[in-house]
């Protein structure tokens, strides 16, 4: 970026640099501040580091069943909740002559829960990874790479080519100032939104898988089943949002590359787009593209929430109804 483009952010950067002054490797010099593309380069380096770290820990962190202490603790809670439900149903049958089918369905429900717990590391990872995998597959076909942060990196590199006409900060008029600030605002917001959509599905999926084992005990009690249902919805939300948001990011990258004639890949290439405050159409075009892109990313979250809403996904009820039907069928065979 040209120096004047960041002149209005210089004060904030200087304040932030004070906290880093004691760290030689983290300090920012005046020469770096005036270097075109310095901030974009620094952010891209950080993004690549995040991607490397995320890819390196996914394999071990998602398989929480390897943690014997945590797994044993969660399994004990599952058995305890199952036993409490069995005692409740046996008491109802003995005292209030409740049907035996309730006892049998609770036994079957416990067996289903234990089977799901025993295979936890496989099916949970499959659900979370499915959406992300399909999205990355589309991304690779369109952009040539399947990097987790590649769309965010591409958007930042494209916006680095949009540079306002260079002139002294002291000579900037109101129109120039507004155009500079608008350009910087859209770059920061759109790049942040792209980075969020790249990372968030993975983070939500990781949290869901890490917290899942302790949610199994709530499947036995209807008053607390919303916790188990919420956990299942979080799994599917991560999968759907990983796919839908990735498609939206790829579409945004395609639009940017087509509109300005850049390559659609890791490096956009192409020439610098020099902007001028007199060229109102250029700013209107960039502003409209940014607003539409942000709206697209926002509604990808809305669509995902609609698909995984509480009215559409009640895992506890599905499992309980299946166990109850199995219990009724088994009872009819023996009686």
């Amino acid at each position: 970026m040209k120096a004047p483009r960041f002149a209005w952010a210089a004060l904030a950067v200087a304040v932030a640099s004070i906290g880093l002054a004691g760290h030689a490797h983290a300090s920012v010099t005046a020469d770096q501040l005036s270097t075109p593309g310095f901030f974009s380069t620094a952010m891209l380096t950080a993004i690549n580091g995040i991607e490397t770290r995320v890819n390196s820990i996914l394999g071990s962190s998602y398989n929480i069943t390897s943690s014997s202490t945590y797994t044993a603790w969660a399994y004990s809670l599952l058995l305890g909740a199952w036993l409490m439900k069995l005692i409740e149903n046996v008491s109802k049958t003995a005292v209030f002559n409740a049907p035996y089918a309730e006892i049998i369905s609770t036994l079957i429900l416990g067996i289903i829960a234990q089977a799901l717990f025993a295979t936890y590391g496989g099916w949970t990872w499959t659900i979370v990874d499915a959406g992300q995998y399909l999205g990355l597959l589309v991304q690779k076909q369109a952009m040539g790479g399947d990097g987790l942060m590649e769309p965010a990196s591409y958007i930042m590199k494209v916006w680095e080519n949009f540079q306002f006409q260079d002139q002294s900060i002291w000579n900037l008029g109101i129109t120039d100032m507004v155009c500079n600030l608008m350009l910087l605002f859209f770059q920061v917001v759109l790049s942040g939104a792209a980075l969020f959509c790249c990372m968030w599905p993975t983070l939500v999926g990781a949290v869901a898988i890490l917290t899942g084992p302790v949610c199994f005990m709530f499947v036995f009690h209807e008053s607390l089943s919303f916790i188990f249902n919420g956990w299942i919805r979080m799994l599917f939300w991560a999968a759907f949002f990983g796919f839908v948001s990735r498609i939206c990011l790829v579409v945004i990258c395609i639009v940017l590359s087509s509109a300005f004639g850049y390559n659609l890949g890791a490096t956009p290439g192409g020439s610098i787009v020099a902007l001028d405050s007199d060229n109102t159409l250029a700013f209107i075009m960039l502003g409209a593209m940014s607003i539409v892109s942000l709206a697209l990313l926002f509604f990808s979250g809305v669509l995902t929430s609609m698909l995984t809403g509480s009215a559409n996904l009640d895992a506890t009820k599905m499992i309980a109804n299946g166990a109850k039907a199995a219990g009724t069928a088994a009872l009819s065979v023996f009686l």
Side-chain angles (χ1 to χ4, degrees):
M1 301 292 176
K2 298 293 184 181
R5 184 172 172 183
F6 294 100
W8 302 104
L11 179 60
V13 174
V15 173
S17 300
I18 295 176
L20 302 173
H23 304 276
H25 298 288
S27 59
V28 179
T29 65
D31 292 336
Q32 289 174 321
L33 287 175
S34 62
T35 301
F38 168 72
F39 288 102
S40 297
T41 302
M43 284 299 298
L44 291 176
T45 302
I47 288 175
N48 292 331
I50 292 172
E51 180 178 4
T52 302
R53 183 64 61 86
V54 169
N55 289 334
S56 66
I57 67 175
L58 282 185
S60 59
S61 296
Y62 273 69
N63 186 17
I64 55 88
T65 54
S66 61
S67 176
S68 58
T69 303
Y70 177 55
T71 304
W73 177 65
Y75 186 67
S76 298
L77 292 176
L78 186 155
L79 292 179
W82 186 25
L83 180 61
M84 290 176 60
K85 189 63 176 179
L86 278 174
I87 293 175
E88 176 186 341
N89 287 337
V90 169
S91 301
K92 288 181 179 179
T93 302
V95 178
F96 301 106
N97 293 322
Y100 287 96
E102 293 293 330
I103 299 177
I104 298 176
S105 64
T106 302
L107 288 171
I108 296 175
L109 180 61
I111 293 172
I112 294 174
Q114 289 193 66
L116 292 174
F117 192 91
T119 57
Y120 183 84
W123 62 270
T124 51
W125 168 248
T126 300
I127 291 175
V128 172
D129 190 48
Q132 193 78 278
Y133 173 78
L134 291 175
L136 291 175
L137 190 64
V138 174
Q139 174 186 311
K140 186 173 183 179
Q141 292 295 322
M143 302 181 64
D146 57 356
L148 190 65
M149 307 295 180
E150 186 168 323
S153 175
Y154 182 83
I155 290 173
M156 292 187 67
K157 289 178 180 178
V158 168
W159 274 82
E160 185 178 349
N161 288 334
F162 304 150
Q163 296 184 6
F164 196 77
Q165 290 298 298
D166 194 10
Q167 59 180 312
S168 173
I169 183 175
W170 308 112
N171 296 328
L172 286 178
I174 296 298
T175 304
D176 295 336
M177 183 189 307
V178 171
C179 291
N180 257 310
L181 292 177
M182 186 187 76
L183 194 64
L184 181 60
F185 172 79
F186 281 130
Q187 180 189 13
V188 171
V189 174
L190 185 56
S191 299
L195 182 60
F196 173 84
C197 290
C198 285
M199 295 182 59
W200 193 241
T202 300
L203 295 176
V204 172
V207 170
I209 291 179
L210 289 171
T211 58
V214 297
C215 295
F216 273 85
M217 64 177 179
F218 300 111
V219 75
F220 299 102
H221 302 279
E222 187 175 352
S223 60
L224 297 174
S225 62
F226 69 92
I227 298 177
F228 183 81
N229 289 333
W231 170 70
I232 287 290
R233 283 196 295 273
M234 186 160 54
L235 277 179
F236 280 96
W237 190 95
F240 278 111
F241 187 70
F243 174 70
V244 176
S245 64
R246 183 71 52 172
I247 298 300
C248 292
L249 286 171
V250 171
V251 170
I252 292 171
C253 293
I254 292 175
V255 171
L256 287 173
S257 66
S258 300
F260 299 98
Y262 294 136
N263 298 324
L264 189 61
T267 304
S271 58
I272 299 297
V273 179
L275 301 175
D276 192 292
S277 59
D278 294 331
N279 189 2
T280 309
L281 182 60
F283 284 97
I284 293 177
M285 180 179 177
L286 285 174
M289 290 178 63
S290 301
I291 293 172
V292 171
S293 299
L294 290 171
L296 195 62
L297 295 178
F298 173 77
F299 282 108
S300 67
V302 174
L303 176 61
T304 304
S305 298
M306 291 172 60
L307 292 173
T308 58
S310 58
N312 301 327
L313 191 61
D314 192 341
T316 300
K317 189 174 182 179
M318 289 188 291
I319 296 174
N321 287 343
K324 186 176 293 186
T328 304
L331 192 63
S332 63
V333 171
F334 295 104
L335 297 180

